[in-house]
Amino acid sequence: MEANAPVPDGAMTSGNDPAGDQDGPGEEQRPPGGAAGSGESAGRPKKQPRSFWKELPILVVIALVLALLIKTFLVQAFSIPSASMQNTLQVGDRVLVDKLTPWFGSKPERGEVVVFHDPDDWLAGEPAPTPNPVQRVLSWIGLMPSANEKDLIKRVVGVGGDTVQCKGTGPLLVNGKALNEPYVYPGNTPCTDDDLGGQFKVKVPQGYIWVMGDHRQNSRDSRYNQSDKHHGMVPVDDVVGRAIVKAWPINRWGTLPIPDTFDQPGISQQSSASDALTVAPQGVAIAAVLPVAVWRRRRAVKTERG
């Protein structure tokens, strides 16, 4: 076709085509206010994106719902109320507890720090905190521990089938193997030489654990509850989960691994169902909501640009 050939009626031309500068029917057929092939109907107004401030309440609600679900099924924050786990945990520390692995059949292992429901009035006589309305709301969504839950936190030293023994001031024996316990509070002995429960030899039944505090001379644990209906044992079904992270205060942030002494030959080990979770409920919720917000904003910008 020749360069100067006439343009047929109704033909579309590029902006660089000389024929595009001429008046004619071709220009009259271009959809008003948009490029050819844009797909928009003539005169149809563009849908304005919802403002960020209007979306914010929706995102907050989503984050709170996610935090509640995470608290229920994944991880939950707990506060340390006493000195029984010093120096591993201090009074006022906040720990994150893995609640996921028990759903997959994982059982507590030796050396783990676990949170469990009061088996049989171990907390009898302990004052219960009185939360204000704000604290109750934060507890409900998992941002603060619940004041109504009677829970304790100790270290597992024996699981079903184990024989645990204390003679004199120690060391603590598990299945005849002496434990090297650097986590025990400085100045304490691994065993307490008293006739109130500090001297013992017990065999842990299946479905139970034997727990002790790291502050051995300041912990009302399995040793001193042998007269209860479980003989000082904690039913595995009462275990809420494993404490995996010290989350607050920030200068004490750190994980709570199983000490190497529980890996020594002769002490059989159970396998963990899954790796420990290390994300706070509110952190997971924010991480889940943020990509949604970014995607919606990018989509809105793309729509404005056409």
Side-chain angles (χ1 to χ4, degrees):
M1 182 181 293
E2 297 181 4
N4 294 326
V7 180
D9 289 345
M12 293 295 177
T13 63
S14 68
N16 295 326
D17 195 315
D21 295 331
Q22 299 175 3
D23 294 334
E27 278 294 318
E28 294 175 358
Q29 294 184 11
R30 184 183 299 275
S38 65
E40 295 183 4
S41 301
R44 183 179 179 181
K46 291 183 178 180
K47 185 178 180 181
Q48 294 298 324
R50 185 179 298 170
S51 70
F52 174 76
W53 295 111
K54 289 183 178 179
E55 289 185 345
L56 183 60
I58 299 175
L59 297 177
V60 170
V61 170
I62 294 174
L64 293 179
V65 170
L66 288 175
L68 178 61
L69 292 175
I70 291 166
K71 166 201 168 183
T72 304
F73 300 106
L74 300 182
V75 292
Q76 184 175 359
F78 285 85
S79 178
I80 306 304
S82 72
S84 66
M85 282 298 293
Q86 286 181 329
N87 274 339
T88 303
L89 299 171
Q90 301 290 350
V91 177
D93 282 356
R94 301 292 197 273
V95 297
L96 299 182
V97 174
D98 168 23
K99 300 174 71 174
L100 175 64
T101 51
W103 286 84
F104 293 93
S106 176
K107 304 298 182 183
E109 297 184 18
R110 304 176 197 89
E112 291 182 347
V113 176
V114 297
V115 171
F116 55 94
H117 299 312
D118 190 339
D120 188 26
D121 291 331
W122 288 20
L123 294 174
E126 293 289 335
T130 305
N132 59 43
V134 174
Q135 290 173 328
R136 291 182 182 181
V137 172
L138 294 177
S139 297
W140 184 76
I141 62 177
L143 300 182
M144 285 188 65
S146 173
N148 298 324
E149 295 177 357
K150 293 184 176 182
D151 298 322
L152 300 95
I153 184 166
K154 306 290 181 186
R155 188 180 298 276
V156 179
V157 295
V159 297
D162 287 346
T163 298
V164 186
Q165 182 178 8
C166 260
K167 291 181 62 177
T169 57
L172 177 67
L173 302 177
V174 177
N175 296 330
K177 300 295 181 180
L179 298 184
N180 174 28
E181 301 183 281
Y183 46 81
V184 169
Y185 186 77
N188 281 193
T189 54
C191 296
T192 303
D193 193 0
D194 60 48
D195 57 359
L196 301 175
Q199 303 293 289
F200 62 88
K201 183 177 182 179
V202 298
K203 185 175 180 63
V204 184
Q206 295 295 332
Y208 291 83
I209 56 176
W210 182 269
V211 299
M212 297 173 67
D214 289 354
H215 197 165
R216 293 291 160 82
Q217 272 75 65
N218 189 19
S219 176
R220 183 173 174 79
D221 47 41
S222 290
R223 299 170 292 169
Y224 300 106
N225 288 283
Q226 295 185 62
S227 61
D228 74 3
K229 64 181 180 181
H230 300 299
H231 307 291
M233 312 292 175
V234 177
V236 169
D237 290 342
D238 286 345
V239 176
V240 177
R242 174 187 173 186
I244 52 177
V245 174
K246 292 179 288 185
W248 189 263
I250 195 66
N251 62 330
R252 285 184 46 75
W253 191 96
T255 59
L256 296 167
I258 297 177
D260 293 339
T261 188
F262 292 95
D263 292 329
Q264 62 177 297
I267 300 181
S268 61
Q269 289 290 328
Q270 300 175 9
S271 59
S272 180
S274 64
D275 293 335
L277 301 178
T278 59
V279 183
Q282 54 268 35
V284 175
I286 293 173
V289 171
L290 188 57
V292 177
V294 173
W295 174 77
R296 289 178 66 89
R297 300 307 299 172
R298 287 183 175 176
R299 183 182 179 191
V301 171
K302 185 177 180 181
T303 303
E304 289 177 353
R305 292 178 178 176

